[in-house]
Amino acid sequence: MKKFIIGVSILTAVLFLGSAAGSESDSFEGNVYDPGKLKPRDSALKVRVGGRAPDFSLPSVRGGRIALSDFLGKKNVVLSFVPAAWTPVCSDQWPGYNVIQDVFEAHDAVLLGITVDNIPSLFAWTSRMGKLWFPVLSDFWPHGAVSDRYGVLRSDGTSERALFVIDKKGIIRFIDVHDINKRPKLEDLVRQLDKL
Amino acid sequence: MRKLAIVAFLVFVMVPAGFPQQAKAPPAPGADFPKVVLTAPDTRSERSYLGLSGRGKFDISQIKAPVVILEILSIYCPYCQNEAPNINELYRMIEADANLRGKIVIVGLGAGNSAYEAGAFKKKYSVPFPIIPDPEFAAYGQIGEVRTPHFIGIRKTSEGDPRVFYSKTGAIGDPAEFLAKIKKAAGIKELK
C-alpha cells in the first residue's frame, strides 16, 4: 500500500513537472512543433570512450562537405547531434553555444552540429537562430547513416540528443547521450573540454 | 485500496488532459506582480545596484528603486542574444541620467539557466546589470510562461507593493524610444 501511494505521488509529480519543460524563444514565433514528452533514450551506442571516432563526411548548410578527418591532428572536435529541426530544446541548444564560442577557441576545439534533416530544412531552421559560428551538417542521406554508425539513431529516424568530445588524435574522450527531452548544461560540456 | 485506484485513474486521465498544457500567462498591466523568490547576485556591486543588503533570497519588492524593468530571457534564445546590446544601451541611458539613476533598474531573469550559463551570457555580451539564474524555471513558472525575451515594467505602489505597468514579448526596438515609453507608462515624473 505504501509503495502504491509513493508510486502515485511520483507519477503525479512527473506529470505536473512535465508542463514546465522550458521557455521558447520569440525567434521561432510559435513555429516549433512540440512532439510531447519522448522516450528519454531509444538507441544503443556503437562507440565507446577511449575508442577511435568513426570518420564521416557530410554536407554542410554553408556548402561543401566536412569530414571529421579534416580536423585530425589539428583540432579537438565536439559533435552535437540533435534530434530534429523545428522541435523544442533543439531550437535553442545550438544558439547557446554562441555564448561560449571563446571557450571552444580556448580549448582549440571546433563544434559540428549534426541532424538527420535535409539541407533546405536546416537552412530555414538555423537562419532563425541568428548567426551560428559553427558548421551545421546534414545526416539526411543515406538517412541517419552517421548517427547510426555512432549508435545514436532512434527507432523513429531522428537522432538522440548526444555530445561526443573527440581529441586531436581522433579518440573519443567523452560521450553524453542526453535525455532527449532536456538540454545539456553548458558547464557540463565545458568541464569535459577542460579535461582535454 | 479502491480509493487509491480511483485517485490513480484521475491522475492519469485528468492531469494530462488539462492542467499541464495550460501555460500560465504573465501578469497584465495593472496587476500585482507575484511574490517571486529570487537569488541575490553574487557580486557586491550588483547587490548594491539593486539596493539589497546581502546575499540570499529576495523578491522584487525589496529592490530599492521604485521602478524595475524585468527582462525574462534565456541565454539560449537568439533574440535575447541579439537584443543584448540594446538592453545594455538602455542601461547606460538610465545610468547617465541623474533623474533616472537609482530610480529605474534593470534585472534579467535567466529562465532555465544555471549560474554558469547566466555568467557566460553576461561575459559574452558585457551585460552590466544582474541576470538572476532560474535553473529549474521556478520563478519563470510563477511569473508566467512567456516567450523570450519578455519585458515587464514594475512600479511600487505607495504601499510598497510591486505593480505591473508594462508587459510585452519581443525586442524593445530603439532603446531611447523604449525608455520614453517606460517613463510615460510608469509616470516617471511622479517619482521621488
Side-chain angles (χ1 to χ4, degrees):
Chain A
M1 177 71 94
K2 194 175 174 183
K3 282 181 183 173
F4 184 75
I5 293 169
I6 292 169
V8 169
S9 304
I10 290 171
L11 178 65
T12 306
V14 166
L15 288 171
F16 271 75
L17 288 173
S19 66
S23 59
E24 180 187 321
S25 169
D26 200 40
S27 308
F28 299 100
E29 297 175 352
N31 288 319
V32 170
Y33 174 78
D34 187 355
K37 193 168 172 62
L38 300 171
K39 186 178 176 184
R41 187 170 174 173
D42 184 31
S43 62
L45 273 173
K46 295 178 180 175
V47 295
R48 61 176 177 82
V49 171
R52 183 160 293 280
D55 193 21
F56 58 80
S57 172
L58 288 173
S60 166
V61 172
R62 295 175 186 166
R65 297 182 73 88
I66 289 181
L68 180 62
S69 53
D70 293 344
F71 304 100
L72 204 57
K74 299 172 191 164
K75 294 279 185 186
N76 299 304
V77 178
V78 176
L79 304 182
S80 170
F81 290 88
V82 298
W86 302 106
T87 56
V89 185
C90 304
S91 295
D92 58 14
Q93 182 179 337
W94 285 351
Y97 297 130
N98 281 344
V99 175
I100 55 165
Q101 181 182 356
D102 61 333
V103 176
F104 280 89
E105 289 168 354
H107 290 84
D108 213 11
V110 295
L111 172 63
L112 303 177
I114 303 173
T115 84
V116 297
D117 299 282
N118 65 10
I119 290 284
S121 296
L122 283 174
F123 173 80
W125 183 49
T126 56
S127 295
R128 299 299 282 272
M129 295 180 188
K131 195 174 180 182
L132 298 177
W133 61 271
F134 53 89
V136 171
L137 310 180
S138 168
D139 188 21
F140 178 68
W141 200 256
H143 188 80
V146 174
S147 306
D148 189 36
R149 203 176 309 160
Y150 278 74
V152 292
L153 186 66
R154 292 169 68 96
S155 60
D156 64 356
T158 62
S159 77
E160 300 287 2
R161 185 178 314 288
L163 290 165
F164 294 83
V165 177
I166 301 162
D167 67 18
K168 291 179 184 177
K169 292 177 181 168
I171 303 301
I172 298 173
R173 300 282 294 272
F174 172 71
I175 300 173
D176 174 19
V177 181
H178 215 74
D179 178 342
I180 195 171
N181 304 289
K182 295 177 181 171
R183 185 177 55 218
K185 293 281 183 197
L186 289 184
E187 56 265 48
D188 294 340
L189 176 58
V190 171
R191 211 170 290 128
Q192 298 305 323
L193 289 172
D194 286 341
K195 291 180 185 174
L196 290 173
Chain B
M1 189 66 184
R2 194 174 167 187
K3 283 181 182 173
L4 280 169
I6 293 168
V7 169
F9 174 76
L10 290 174
V11 166
F12 268 110
V13 173
M14 293 183 69
V15 172
F19 182 81
Q21 278 73 30
Q22 293 171 0
K24 185 184 173 188
D32 290 334
F33 187 80
K35 196 174 177 68
V36 176
V37 177
L38 304 169
T39 303
D42 282 337
T43 65
R44 187 177 292 178
S45 62
E46 289 193 341
R47 290 198 298 273
S48 171
Y49 172 68
L50 299 180
L52 301 174
S53 54
R55 291 170 182 269
K57 304 294 181 185
F58 75 102
D59 69 69
I60 293 290
S61 69
Q62 290 172 271
I63 293 176
K64 197 175 175 186
V67 173
V68 176
I69 299 171
L70 178 67
E71 180 189 8
I72 301 174
L73 58 90
S74 166
I75 70 126
Y76 291 90
C77 146
Y79 271 17
C80 304
Q81 295 172 2
N82 293 341
E83 194 65 350
N86 281 339
I87 313 305
N88 290 350
E89 178 59 21
L90 177 67
Y91 170 90
R92 278 189 283 274
M93 291 170 70
I94 292 167
E95 292 302 296
D97 187 332
N99 193 42
L100 300 179
R101 193 185 321 124
K103 293 175 183 168
I104 303 179
V105 294
I106 304 175
V107 181
L109 178 73
N113 302 150
S114 66
Y116 175 88
E117 291 169 334
F121 185 88
K122 275 175 65 68
K123 183 182 169 201
K124 169 81 176 179
Y125 299 103
S126 305
V127 176
F129 54 86
I131 296 178
I132 311 296
D134 183 28
E136 304 302 329
F137 296 99
Y140 176 78
Q142 287 179 66
I143 296 168
E145 295 172 16
V146 293
R147 292 211 302 270
T148 54
H150 186 97
F151 296 87
I152 300 180
I154 303 157
R155 183 177 174 177
K156 282 186 202 169
T157 63
S158 51
E159 291 80 30
D161 298 323
R163 185 157 296 163
V164 174
F165 66 85
Y166 179 91
S167 181
K168 199 171 178 184
T169 296
I172 64 166
D174 179 69
E177 287 177 16
F178 180 77
L179 182 56
K181 201 185 301 176
I182 287 292
K183 282 165 66 178
K184 188 177 177 187
I188 215 81
K189 283 180 185 170
E190 303 161 26
L191 291 176
K192 293 173 185 172

